Amino acid sequence: MKHEVVITAYGIVSPLGNTPEEFEKRMFAGESGVKSIKGNLVGENFPVPYGAVIGRSDLPESEFFKTADKEKILKSWLMTAVATEQCLKNIPVDTKVDAIVYGTADGVSFELVTEVLQGGLGEDYDHRRFCCESSLDVLNSVLKSKGMSDVSVENVISVNSACASGNQTIGMAYQGISTGRWERCLVGGVDARCEPSNFLNFFLLGALTTDDVEPHKASRPFAKDRSGFVRGEGAAVLMMETRESAVKRGAKILGVVKGYGCTSDAYRLTDGRDDGSAVMQAIEEALSTAGIKKEDIDYINAHGTSTPLNDRLETLAIKKVFGAGAYKIPVSSLKSQIGHSTIASSAIEAVACLIMLQRQKVSPTINYHVPDPECDLDYVPNESRDVKLTHVLSNSFGFGGQNACIVFSKE
């Protein structure tokens, strides 16, 4: 028996706001969460001028870390705890969670190594700070602290497939729940790496924009004058479960996970194949598993990084899959507003898609003022738009040719 998979709760930490309500308001208003980092996070001569950074002081208080010194806690832990607590806020304590599938980039960074070298490894040093799965431990600990289940180790799964991670966590849970392996699963991702060494890594890859513009104008997906993405941060946690379990406990269903497609083209570290074939296959697989026709898609949440190559290839793949119908589908990129939080990006965008389905409204691609002849679809320029939505497609394409696409449907 195949079970229908639904989403019943979510929590979010983002450059547009650290509650679902604030995020929704600023997203539809077309605001930007990109800030200047010079003279603050980095020096005046640093080559990268801006980022979609989330300050520790901006984060809501966490019940789990309420007695701790915030400065001694990894920011990814704080963000994960806040997003998880939001997600679990209205869920009864006797609700059993069977699995956690979470995207994380925790682990050793230059800043963490520097801290250790300067301070030494005292007896009370928390060695989990070096563990790439540490945010999953936090998520599971928050569950336990609320009197909910302690998920067994074999069902706590860490994902790091770069920019495709969020959608892959949703896709893996979709497969596990629909086949009856799990009844409920927490999914999502966190990325809190807006730090100098990480900025430099992407700068040296030629992926970041460094144009001399105001920060809120830096991310320009699909526009002819785009020149790279803006590094961002964020976290999102979502509750996925069978429709039967949601109905049984009287939970409000926020959306249906209808289909999932995942491919790898193993081409180059940062580039996709020129023909877009693996991207097309991921989109087509998502539509096929959803059991819907191409013309049923009402909106596409684009990966839309604002790099010259990605936006051109994504546009090409959409046109090849949807044919002439591609020009009738609104396509927008949330990264124009919140930058690119890599590991967390498509988990945050999943929350955005659910909000759009509930509100029957799509968010804009801001900073779209100079059309590109090679990117000639309807990118919902600069202002949000009321659209009748039943099925939406969310794309995520990671470094190394990792492609993951999800179809979300209205309840």
Side-chain angles (χ1 to χ4, degrees):
M1 174 183 177
K2 185 174 181 179
H3 299 273
E4 191 170 17
V5 182
V6 301
I7 296 175
T8 53
Y10 50 69
I12 190 168
V13 172
S14 84
L16 287 182
N18 298 321
T19 65
E21 295 78 17
E22 184 183 6
F23 173 76
E24 176 182 333
K25 179 181 177 181
R26 296 186 64 193
M27 176 181 73
F28 285 137
E31 295 183 29
S32 171
V34 181
K35 308 170 185 175
S36 171
I37 60 173
K38 288 198 171 185
N40 180 11
L41 187 62
V42 299
E44 291 293 339
N45 294 323
F46 195 75
V48 181
Y50 28 62
V53 183
I54 300 171
R56 286 173 178 267
S57 60
D58 298 328
L59 291 171
E61 289 297 318
S62 163
E63 294 177 17
F64 184 73
F65 286 117
K66 62 184 176 183
T67 60
D69 181 349
K70 271 191 176 183
E71 295 304 315
K72 293 182 180 179
I73 302 296
L74 287 182
K75 191 161 72 170
S76 60
W77 294 3
L78 290 171
M79 291 163 62
T80 294
V82 168
T84 304
E85 287 163 356
Q86 289 176 10
C87 183
L88 300 178
K89 184 177 179 181
N90 296 314
I91 297 177
V93 295
D94 60 349
T95 304
K96 185 177 183 295
V97 176
D98 303 300
I100 296 170
V101 187
Y102 198 60
T104 173
D106 292 340
V108 180
S109 68
F110 179 78
E111 281 68 24
L112 187 55
V113 171
T114 301
E115 176 188 330
V116 172
L117 291 176
Q118 290 175 344
L121 288 174
E123 291 183 3
D124 61 346
Y125 190 83
D126 190 345
H127 291 77
R128 287 192 311 149
R129 292 161 66 89
F130 287 102
C131 176
C132 290
E133 292 80 24
S134 58
S135 283
L136 285 92
D137 292 339
V138 170
L139 203 159
N140 201 12
S141 296
V142 171
L143 271 176
K144 290 167 61 179
S145 73
K146 289 187 168 293
M148 301 175 75
S149 52
D150 180 6
V151 180
S152 58
V153 65
E154 70 272 13
N155 290 319
V156 179
I157 302 170
S158 175
V159 175
N160 187 338
S161 51
C163 322
S165 300
N167 270 1
Q168 283 198 352
T169 70
I170 294 168
M172 291 173 68
Y174 167 79
Q175 292 173 332
I177 294 171
S178 65
T179 57
R181 178 183 176 189
W182 303 319
E183 186 176 34
R184 297 185 190 92
C185 182
L186 284 177
V187 303
V190 62
D191 199 315
R193 294 179 296 164
C194 275
E195 52 190 31
S197 61
N198 194 264
F199 281 115
L200 281 176
N201 287 341
F202 285 107
F203 169 75
L204 293 172
L205 283 173
L208 298 185
T209 178
T210 58
D211 289 350
D212 184 15
V213 298
E214 294 174 89
H216 68 274
K217 297 180 179 178
S219 182
R220 304 184 293 274
F222 302 109
K224 189 173 183 179
D225 58 350
R226 68 189 185 276
S227 57
F229 68 77
V230 173
R231 190 69 175 90
E233 295 182 312
V237 175
L238 302 92
M239 173 70 85
M240 294 174 58
E241 57 187 302
T242 64
R243 177 179 288 279
E244 297 96 322
S245 68
V247 170
K248 184 177 180 180
R249 66 185 187 87
K252 181 179 179 181
I253 295 174
L254 305 176
V256 181
V257 181
K258 202 77 172 175
Y260 171 53
C262 182
T263 62
S264 174
D265 54 25
Y267 183 56
R268 292 197 183 111
L269 177 62
T270 59
D271 301 340
R273 294 181 184 274
D274 289 340
D275 62 1
S277 56
V279 169
M280 292 165 56
Q281 185 182 349
I283 295 173
E284 289 169 340
E285 282 184 8
L287 297 174
S288 176
T289 56
I292 61 174
K293 300 175 183 178
K294 296 173 184 179
E295 52 266 32
D296 292 330
I297 292 295
D298 302 305
Y299 163 74
I300 297 174
N301 170 66
H303 185 56
T305 60
S306 190
T307 58
L309 183 61
N310 173 87
D311 293 2
R312 177 176 62 81
L313 290 181
E314 184 170 13
T315 297
L316 174 65
I318 290 171
K319 289 195 288 189
K320 283 187 173 182
V321 171
F322 293 94
Y327 293 93
K328 301 176 183 178
I329 305 172
V331 179
S332 69
S333 171
L334 188 62
K335 294 181 182 70
S336 63
Q337 298 180 262
I338 65 170
H340 193 358
S341 56
T342 58
I343 306 297
S345 58
S346 50
I348 293 172
E349 289 163 19
V351 173
C353 286
L354 293 169
I355 291 172
M356 291 185 230
L357 282 166
Q358 293 168 69
R359 302 293 178 251
Q360 295 290 286
K361 189 173 188 176
V362 299
S363 63
T365 302
I366 66 171
N367 301 319
Y368 185 86
H369 301 292
V370 185
D372 182 345
E374 290 189 288
C375 297
D376 56 352
L377 300 177
D378 175 7
Y379 301 112
V380 195
N382 305 311
E383 294 184 0
S384 56
R385 183 188 305 168
D386 293 332
V387 177
K388 185 178 180 181
L389 301 175
T390 301
H391 305 291
V392 305
L393 172 71
S394 186
N395 292 335
S396 62
F397 312 130
F399 284 162
Q402 301 166 108
N403 311 299
C405 300
I406 302 287
V407 173
F408 298 102
S409 301
K410 186 177 183 297
E411 168 57 10

